[in-house]
Amino acid sequence: MQLTITSLSDDIFTLDVSEDLELENFKALCEFETGISSNEIAILWNGRPLQDDKQTLKQYGIKNGDVLLLQQLRSGQRAGGQAASGQSSAGAGALPQIDFGSIHIPGAGPAAAPRPIQPQNPTAAMMEDPDFIRQMLLSNPHQVALLKERNQPLAEALASGKPEKFREVFLKQQKERQEKEKERIRLATADPFDADAQRQIAEEIRLKNVESNMETAMEFAPESFGQVVMLYVDCMVNGHAVKAFVDSGAQMTIMSQACAERCNIMRLVDKRWAGIAKGVGTQRIIGRVHLCQIQIGPDYLQSSFSILEDQPMDMLLGLDMLKRHQCCIDLKKNRLIIGTTGTETHFLAEGDLPEHARLNLSNQPSVDKEDEQLAQALAKSAAEAASGSKPTPSTSGTKDSKSGSSSAAPAQSLPSFPEEVVQRLMSRGFTRHAVLEELRLAGGHVDTALAALIAKSFSLP
């Protein structure tokens, strides 16, 4: 609603405020407009002083279009002085008699010096002054809350309590705004047939649309900015408690090496299934446990594990285990239902999750580092295989728990073959590693290796 505020010095201004605004915050807005401290402001409506700062304008009965009187209270001005002022004004037919004797003025006393009157409306220079903006924000908690949502760096500088830090951040952002404004003016006056300028204008329009879309989402769907709690259940493996992550997007069930050692099942690992899992990050697969029991509630379920060397989570229940036991993820009731037994297990609350389950995007490996991690894992796997006393007959390519992509790692050092033979087989569309592997298995026989490569290139429907 719109209110008109006037004072005894005939200064008039208007404010657009909410009817639920408390009186103390309304005084803070008046302080911003007049420069008078909110502690020295008295607000009158229909000749009656408004004394309770915690009541809202609606509770006082103030409506849209009403006129309020703003009076600056000074030291030594008590009931008599204010009444005299009211009488002189009422005698002139302008204002009724007003008694301010019941209004408590914090900090006012006989020895208090009167505060000089500042300009009624802040000038452009004042709005560019960091100290003025800082004091204005400190006097208005509502604006501080908005600042935390829309300008986090400036809000942190304000919360630090250091004026010099607030000044530094404010001036830096002010300079950035000025540069953007210059760029906007340059684009507005640029040649309309300049392709580069038009691309920049299109990008500016796109960014404004993105900002508008985000503001709409914050208003109508604020839950989309929240953090989703991952789905974990308590289970037992070989008598040891494990918090298992339920992931229907993972192709296979995996377990970390540390968890396998803790559960005393490393003795069952088949290292012939070693390889590299590449997807969201890169992991080296040590091997596979072909059969082990998982206890979820009262049920004992059979499952197999792929053991990963450096896996942050202890265990991940993949799609293979979920389909085998016809599991159902009920998000409405927040529970995992074992279809083969009918047992229902509640997912863990956020406070019961392990530390690594609290997602932190800044700690996720970047896409640029994936190739480097894969190369390091392949080199490590090849070095370990070359130093082994007994070479393994073959290497199985394993699939990543997240993306399902496969990447086979060499289980032993490959013998050398004539480069001409290798290039001839590679010209048919096969990778160098696959060619060398088949030549090794075929004992160097080119036709046998070619037949094996062609046979493996076909996939069953």
Side-chain angles (χ1 to χ4, degrees):
M1 62 182 178
Q2 189 176 67
L3 301 177
T4 302
I5 296 89
T6 183
S7 64
L8 297 177
S9 58
D10 295 333
D11 292 316
I12 301 176
F13 58 93
T14 59
L15 289 177
D16 289 324
V17 296
S18 171
E19 61 180 8
D20 295 325
L21 184 69
E22 295 180 352
L23 181 62
E24 59 180 354
N25 293 329
F26 180 77
K27 288 182 178 180
L29 292 177
C30 294
E31 177 184 358
F32 174 74
E33 293 289 339
T34 62
I36 303 174
S37 173
S38 59
N39 295 331
E40 300 179 359
I41 291 178
I43 303 296
L44 294 91
W45 177 63
N46 290 340
R48 176 170 61 92
L50 309 182
Q51 301 178 9
D52 190 352
D53 286 345
K54 296 301 180 181
Q55 286 195 11
T56 63
L57 300 180
K58 182 179 181 180
Q59 291 174 334
Y60 278 115
I62 300 175
K63 303 179 182 61
N64 182 38
D66 285 355
V67 178
L68 304 180
L69 173 64
L70 183 149
Q71 175 67 45
Q72 180 181 7
L73 302 180
R74 300 173 182 273
S75 317
Q77 285 187 329
R78 294 299 181 185
Q82 295 299 333
S85 173
Q87 289 172 0
S88 61
S89 301
L95 292 173
Q97 294 186 0
I98 302 168
D99 184 10
F100 291 100
S102 60
I103 298 179
H104 175 68
I105 308 172
R115 177 170 177 162
I117 300 177
Q118 298 181 5
Q120 297 294 325
N121 295 314
T123 63
M126 295 172 62
M127 293 303 297
E128 299 294 333
D129 183 11
D131 296 331
F132 178 81
I133 297 297
R134 181 173 178 271
Q135 293 299 328
M136 181 189 69
L137 292 172
L138 291 175
S139 63
N140 194 331
H142 177 66
Q143 293 296 330
V144 174
L146 292 178
L147 188 68
K148 290 180 180 179
E149 295 180 1
R150 302 177 181 179
N151 194 335
Q152 188 67 25
L154 193 62
E156 292 177 354
L158 180 66
S160 67
K162 299 178 180 179
E164 60 277 6
K165 184 176 180 179
F166 181 86
R167 173 183 289 271
E168 178 184 355
V169 176
F170 180 84
L171 293 178
K172 179 181 178 181
Q173 294 185 355
Q174 185 183 56
K175 183 178 179 181
E176 292 176 354
R177 287 194 301 269
Q178 292 174 353
E179 292 177 353
K180 289 182 179 179
E181 182 64 18
K182 291 180 181 178
E183 182 67 14
R184 187 189 67 80
I185 295 175
R186 185 187 70 82
L187 293 176
T189 58
D191 184 3
F193 297 101
D194 186 353
D196 183 62
Q198 293 303 313
R199 279 194 299 269
Q200 295 184 38
I201 293 174
E203 178 65 16
E204 191 73 19
I205 295 174
R206 188 191 70 83
L207 293 177
K208 288 183 179 180
N209 291 336
V210 171
E211 186 71 19
S212 175
N213 181 262
M214 187 185 72
E215 292 177 357
T216 303
M218 292 179 66
E219 181 176 359
F220 296 102
E223 65 277 3
S224 63
F225 294 91
Q227 187 178 18
V228 178
V229 178
M230 307 303 287
L231 304 179
Y232 278 78
V233 294
D234 281 325
C235 63
M236 301 284 289
V237 178
N238 200 21
H240 295 268
V242 176
K243 297 182 186 295
F245 174 42
V246 180
D247 186 3
S248 61
Q251 186 178 16
M252 61 187 181
T253 299
I254 65 173
M255 178 181 286
S256 67
Q257 180 182 2
C259 182
E261 292 174 350
R262 191 167 67 247
C263 296
N264 299 322
I265 61 173
M266 282 297 294
R267 56 188 173 82
L268 300 176
V269 176
D270 186 350
K271 296 186 178 181
R272 293 175 299 177
W273 293 72
I276 297 297
K278 182 180 183 299
V280 182
T282 303
Q283 300 282 345
R284 190 174 80 90
I285 299 178
I286 299 175
R288 187 171 186 262
V289 176
H290 298 294
L291 185 62
C292 188
Q293 283 189 335
I294 304 174
Q295 181 183 358
I296 300 180
D299 298 334
Y300 290 85
L301 309 176
Q302 295 179 352
S303 181
S304 59
F305 306 114
S306 292
I307 308 300
L308 271 64
E309 180 182 40
D310 187 18
Q311 173 66 24
M313 64 183 66
D314 287 340
M315 187 169 67
L316 182 148
L317 302 181
L319 192 61
D320 58 342
M321 184 268 184
L322 297 176
K323 292 187 69 175
R324 182 182 307 162
H325 301 286
Q326 302 173 15
C327 297
C328 176
I329 299 175
D330 190 339
L331 298 179
K332 183 177 181 180
K333 297 181 179 179
N334 194 38
R335 62 187 64 182
L336 176 67
I337 303 173
I338 310 297
T340 54
T341 62
T343 303
E344 297 183 359
T345 302
H346 284 274
F347 293 115
L348 298 182
E350 184 176 5
D352 299 328
L353 299 182
E355 283 297 325
H356 62 265
R358 308 181 194 281
L359 296 180
N360 185 2
L361 298 180
S362 61
N363 294 334
Q364 298 294 330
S366 62
V367 178
D368 297 337
K369 295 182 179 180
E370 284 192 5
D371 292 338
E372 180 182 353
Q373 293 175 353
L374 177 61
Q376 292 175 356
L378 287 171
K380 184 177 179 181
S381 178
E384 291 181 357
S387 62
S389 58
K390 182 179 180 180
T392 57
S394 63
T395 300
S396 297
T398 55
K399 298 200 174 181
D400 179 45
S401 62
K402 293 292 182 184
S403 64
S405 60
S406 63
S407 176
Q412 64 179 39
S413 58
L414 300 178
S416 59
F417 297 100
E419 185 64 24
E420 180 184 357
V421 174
V422 175
Q423 292 296 332
R424 186 172 59 182
L425 294 178
M426 288 178 61
S427 65
R428 298 179 177 270
F430 304 109
T431 64
R432 184 180 186 86
H433 175 75
V435 168
L436 294 176
E437 178 69 12
E438 293 303 330
L439 284 173
R440 182 185 67 81
L441 295 176
H445 196 280
V446 180
D447 294 336
T448 303
L450 178 59
L453 288 170
I454 294 175
K456 290 184 178 181
S457 64
F458 293 101
S459 59
L460 295 177

